Amino acid sequence: MYSEHARIRMQQRGVPPLIIEWLVQYGATVHDHRGARIRYFDKESRKRIRNEKGDIVLRRFHELFDCYAVIAEDGSVVTVGHAYGRIRKN
């Protein structure tokens, strides 16, 4: 489930729902200390995607693997974006 804000940000930032699904399924998690979780692709999650989906898929979507999603306690996606730096593991 996506919030209205997340839908708008997905459209503005060119992030397809498939990438959000992969973030939820494969992505690493850090807590934002406000009750939500940040999901992002780290080296291990990219490796799992390569093993399950194949190298061609990984190359096809490589520009979208800098995305992150903020997910609320109820599992809804609050917002999405592109991480231009490292995501801090607290």
Side-chain angles (χ1 to χ4, degrees):
M1 179 165 81
Y2 302 106
S3 69
E4 185 61 27
H5 178 77
R7 284 189 187 99
I8 292 168
R9 292 296 181 248
M10 287 169 64
Q11 184 178 20
Q12 288 174 337
R13 295 170 177 163
V15 179
L18 175 65
I19 295 299
I20 304 303
E21 290 175 29
W22 287 355
L23 278 169
V24 171
Q25 186 175 0
Y26 300 105
T29 303
V30 294
H31 294 278
D32 73 347
H33 300 290
R34 296 181 206 158
R37 299 178 317 267
I38 301 170
R39 302 289 299 217
Y40 65 98
F41 294 114
D42 63 353
K43 188 185 286 186
E44 288 300 314
S45 58
R46 292 174 195 209
K47 199 181 293 185
R48 285 194 302 269
I49 292 170
R50 177 182 286 126
N51 290 339
E52 288 190 27
K53 307 293 183 189
D55 201 36
I56 293 171
V57 171
L58 193 67
R59 280 183 276 162
R60 169 69 173 96
F61 292 105
H62 79 278
E63 70 277 356
L64 295 172
F65 285 118
D66 68 344
C67 291
Y68 68 88
V70 177
I71 301 174
E73 289 180 4
D74 66 358
S76 63
V77 178
V78 177
T79 192
V80 300
H82 295 276
Y84 294 105
R86 290 192 143 191
I87 295 178
R88 300 180 98 184
K89 298 176 187 176
N90 303 0

